Amino acid sequence: MRLSPDEMIFWQYGFFKLNATIVFTWGLMFVLAVGSKVITRKFSTGMQRSHWQNLLEIIVTGIEQQIEEVGLSQPRKYIGFLGTLFLFVAAASLSIVIPGYEPPTGSLSTTVALALCVFVAVPLFGIEEQGVGNYLKSYMKPTFIMLPFNIISELSRTLALAVRLFGNMMSGAMIIGILLTITPFLFPIVMTMLGLLTGMVQAYIFFILATVYIAAATRVRKRKLGTEAKQ
Amino acid sequence: MLIDWFTVGAQALNFLILVWLMKRFLYQPILTAIDKREKRIATEIADADKQKGEAQKERDEFQHKNEELDQQRATLLSKATDEAKALRQRLFDEARQDADVMAAKRMETLRNEEHDLQQAISRRTQQEVFAIARKALTDLATTSLEARLGEVFTRRLREMDDQAKAGLAEALKTATGPALVRSAFDLPLEQRTSIQNALNETFSAEILVQFETAPELISGIELTTHGQKVAWSIADYLVSMEKGVQELLQEKVKAEPKLEDAQPETKNQ
C-alpha cells in the first residue's frame, strides 16, 4: 500500500526523479496559472464584470481581508505568499474529486517543503520589517533564557505545520482507499465530501497559521513603537 | 522513508514559481482592477457630488431669478393696471367732454334750426296774413290793400298823441334833408298825396317828403326823420303771434333734451 504519491515514480535519473507529487503539482500550477491568466485577460475595471471575475475578486479580497484581520496592516505585501499557500492547498484538496488524482499535499515532502517555505519566510518578513538585530533580539524575549525555547518553538511549529497537513490529507486519501475495498459505492462518496471539507479546513488552517507567524514576527517592533509613542 | 529530499526541494521551487505566477496573473491584475474601479467609483461619486452641488446652486439661482421675475411681473402688472386705469379715466373724461361738446353743438344746431324755423314761420305767417288781409280787404271793399295801408298810416299820423307829435315835429324841424317815407311797395300817387297832406295838416307846415321802396318792410309804411320814426306794418300785428309761436317752440325744445338725457344712460347701462 502506498502512503505517499512520492512513491509513484514516472522517471528517475540518479538523484533526480519525476514522481506523482511533482507531476500533480505541475498540473495544479498549470491550471491555477492558466486559469488566472485566461480569466484576468478580459478583466474589466467597470461596473459590469463576468461571473469568473466576480469569483476571483471575492476569493482575493477575502484572502486580503483575512490577512488584515489577523493583524497584518499591509495585506498586499503578503498576499502573494500567503494567498498562494491557501490557493495551492485548497486546489490540491478540492481536486480529489477527479478520479486517479492524488493530492500532492498528501505527500510529506510537499508539506515539509511548504512548511520550510514558511519557516524561511517568517524570519525574512520579520527582518525586513524590524531589521536583523531587532529580529534576532526577539528570540531572547522576555529574557535570554527563552532563546532555546523560542528556537525549539520555531522548529516544532514548522514540523507541526508540515505533519498536520500531511496527516490530514494522507489519512483522508487512506480512509477513502480502505473504504473503497469494504463498501465500494455510497460510503466513499460521503467520505470524499468529508475529505473536501477537511481539505478546505486544512488549507485555511495552514494559511492562517502562516499568517499568524508572520504577524507575530513583524508585530513586535510595531508594538514597541506604539509604546514609545505613548511615552 | 516518507520524506524525499529531492521532492522537497522540487516542491519548494514549484511553490516559489507558483507564488510568482499567481502574483503575476492573479493578484496583480485583480487588485489593480479593484483599485481602478474603486478610484473610478470615487471619482464618479465626487463628480456626482460636484454636479449635485452645481445643480443645487443652479436651482437656487433659478429660484432667485424666478422670484425676481415674479416681483418684476407684479410691479409691471400693477404699473400697467394703474396706467390702464388712468388711461380709462382719461378716455372716459375725453369721451364725456366730446359728448358734452357734441351735445352743445347739437343744442346749438337745434337752436339755430329753431331760430330758422321761427323766422320761416314768421315770414310765412306774415305772408299768409298779408295774403289773407289782402284777400279779405279785396273781398270786403273795393279799395286795394295798399290804399288801405296808406289810409291806416295816414290815420295813425293824425291820431298820434301829443308827445309823439311834438317829438316828431322837433325832428322834422331840425332835419336837414327831407323826411323819408319807406314802403314795401310803390305807393300810388293818390296815397302819396294823402300822406303828404296828412303830414302837412298834422304838423301845420310844408314838409318835404321823399318816397322810397323797401321790400324788407312787409306790407308796411314808415316815416323816418332825424332819428324819429312813425311806422305801421303787418309785422306789428305779427308780434303777438310770433311770441305765441316762440313759446310753443321753447316748450318743444325743453321737452326734447329730457328725452336725449335719458338715452345715454340706457346706453351706459
Side-chain angles (χ1 to χ4, degrees):
Chain A
M1 179 156 187
R2 224 174 42 232
L3 271 179
S4 161
D6 287 4
E7 291 166 19
M8 194 196 285
I9 295 166
F10 299 116
W11 174 82
Q12 188 163 15
Y13 182 76
F15 182 64
F16 300 98
K17 63 185 90 166
L18 198 61
N19 54 33
T21 310
I22 295 170
V23 170
F24 285 131
T25 303
W26 284 353
L28 283 173
M29 281 167 72
F30 180 79
V31 170
L32 285 172
V34 171
S36 300
K37 175 69 186 165
V38 168
I39 294 168
T40 58
R41 195 180 52 192
K42 294 176 186 173
F43 244 44
S44 94
T45 54
M47 305 304 280
Q48 293 287 327
R49 43 195 189 269
S50 65
H51 300 300
W52 286 107
Q53 184 179 343
N54 266 336
L55 180 71
L56 286 191
E57 282 188 12
I58 288 166
I59 291 167
V60 171
T61 48
I63 292 167
E64 197 184 8
Q65 209 177 340
Q66 282 293 318
I67 295 169
E68 202 174 4
E69 279 176 11
V70 168
L72 289 168
S73 56
Q74 290 173 296
R76 290 198 180 183
K77 193 174 162 187
Y78 307 102
I79 197 170
F81 180 74
L82 295 170
T84 309
L85 263 183
F86 174 76
L87 287 179
F88 177 67
V89 178
S93 308
L94 290 178
S95 300
I96 56 171
V97 293
I98 300 166
Y101 168 83
E102 285 194 38
T105 44
S107 144
L108 191 60
S109 306
T110 309
T111 57
V112 165
L114 294 178
L116 280 174
C117 285
V118 175
F119 180 74
V120 174
V122 168
L124 281 179
F125 283 126
I127 288 163
E128 190 196 23
E129 195 72 30
Q130 312 182 40
V132 183
N134 279 329
Y135 178 73
L136 291 176
K137 274 180 197 169
S138 70
Y139 281 95
M140 291 189 284
K141 282 177 182 172
T143 58
F144 69 92
I145 302 164
M146 294 302 287
L147 179 66
F149 298 105
N150 277 332
I151 291 167
I152 291 164
S153 147
E154 202 78 13
L155 292 168
S156 65
R157 78 185 185 191
T158 306
L159 187 67
L161 210 57
V163 174
R164 185 188 300 111
L165 183 59
F166 164 68
N168 276 290
M169 298 314 293
M170 185 269 285
S171 64
M174 289 291 287
I175 288 167
I176 293 163
I178 293 161
L179 283 173
L180 272 174
T181 59
I182 304 165
T183 54
F185 297 111
L186 192 64
F187 216 61
I189 295 171
V190 177
M191 288 313 290
T192 307
M193 286 166 73
L194 190 68
L196 286 173
L197 184 69
T198 52
M200 287 306 293
V201 170
Q202 286 310 311
Y204 182 71
I205 288 170
F206 203 99
F207 155 74
I208 213 82
L209 283 176
T211 313
V212 167
Y213 298 154
I214 291 168
T218 56
R219 208 190 280 170
V220 183
R221 189 176 165 228
K222 282 179 185 167
R223 200 184 291 148
K224 204 174 155 188
L225 282 173
T227 47
E228 276 173 4
K230 277 177 187 174
Q231 284 168 1
Chain B
M1 185 67 185
L2 284 172
I3 299 176
D4 176 42
W5 290 105
F6 170 76
T7 311
V8 169
Q11 286 297 75
L13 187 67
N14 281 340
F15 178 71
L16 291 177
I17 291 166
L18 185 64
V19 167
W20 181 80
L21 287 171
M22 290 283 100
K23 262 190 180 176
R24 173 87 175 75
F25 295 124
L26 186 69
Y27 305 121
Q28 221 169 347
I30 287 181
L31 292 172
T32 310
I34 289 171
D35 284 350
K36 274 185 185 170
R37 190 183 303 130
E38 280 176 356
K39 200 174 170 183
R40 190 174 153 180
I41 289 167
T43 315
E44 278 175 6
I45 288 171
D47 281 352
D49 285 346
K50 196 179 161 188
Q51 281 181 356
K52 203 177 164 186
E54 279 174 6
Q56 182 73 32
K57 198 177 159 190
E58 276 177 15
R59 205 187 71 178
D60 290 348
E61 209 171 305
F62 185 72
Q63 270 183 343
H64 185 65
K65 275 184 184 172
N66 241 1
E67 282 167 10
E68 270 183 5
L69 280 173
D70 282 348
Q71 278 181 350
Q72 279 181 358
R73 199 182 62 179
T75 316
L76 284 173
L77 201 66
S78 70
K79 199 179 163 188
T81 312
D82 292 347
E83 279 176 1
K85 272 184 188 170
L87 186 66
R88 182 171 159 264
Q89 190 61 42
R90 193 162 60 79
L91 289 173
F92 194 68
D93 290 347
E94 279 177 11
R96 183 171 282 174
Q97 279 173 359
D98 287 350
D100 287 349
V101 169
M102 277 174 77
K105 265 187 191 170
R106 217 158 64 94
M107 284 296 288
E108 185 64 34
T109 314
L110 211 64
R111 240 176 258 125
N112 289 341
E113 278 176 4
E114 180 199 342
H115 188 249
D116 291 349
L117 193 66
Q118 277 176 2
Q119 280 189 337
I121 289 170
S122 308
R123 218 174 295 124
R124 184 77 185 270
T125 312
Q126 281 174 349
Q127 284 167 358
E128 286 293 324
V129 167
F130 184 74
I132 289 163
R134 182 193 294 267
K135 184 86 171 57
L137 287 170
T138 310
D139 289 348
L140 286 172
T142 54
T143 323
S144 70
L145 178 63
E146 284 81 7
R148 189 67 193 145
L149 283 172
E151 276 175 26
V152 171
F153 184 68
T154 316
R155 199 172 63 226
R156 277 215 161 184
L157 280 174
R158 288 179 203 282
E159 287 172 1
M160 261 197 306
D161 54 2
D162 293 340
Q163 198 183 345
K165 203 185 273 180
L168 195 64
E170 187 65 33
L172 285 168
K173 278 179 189 171
T174 52
T176 50
L180 188 68
V181 174
R182 295 167 80 216
S183 62
F185 45 85
D186 284 339
L187 290 171
L189 188 65
E190 190 186 337
Q191 284 197 5
R192 287 186 181 186
T193 315
S194 172
I195 289 165
Q196 181 72 60
N197 289 337
L199 281 170
N200 291 346
E201 282 170 17
T202 309
F203 299 106
S204 309
E206 190 68 28
I207 290 161
L208 286 170
V209 177
Q210 186 186 344
F211 291 96
E212 227 176 62
T213 308
E216 68 267 19
L217 293 171
I218 302 163
S219 303
I221 304 172
E222 68 170 30
L223 168 70
T224 39
T225 177
H226 204 258
Q228 291 286 320
K229 186 168 100 175
V230 175
W232 181 90
S233 86
I234 291 173
D236 294 338
Y237 294 107
L238 293 176
V239 170
S240 63
M241 188 183 176
E242 199 175 356
K243 276 182 184 173
V245 171
Q246 269 181 350
E247 279 170 13
L248 194 71
L249 280 169
Q250 273 170 356
E251 277 175 16
K252 197 184 172 189
V253 169
K254 276 177 190 172
E256 275 186 1
K258 279 179 188 175
L259 283 170
E260 282 166 5
D261 287 343
Q263 277 173 349
E265 281 173 14
T266 35
K267 275 180 187 172
N268 286 338
Q269 283 167 0

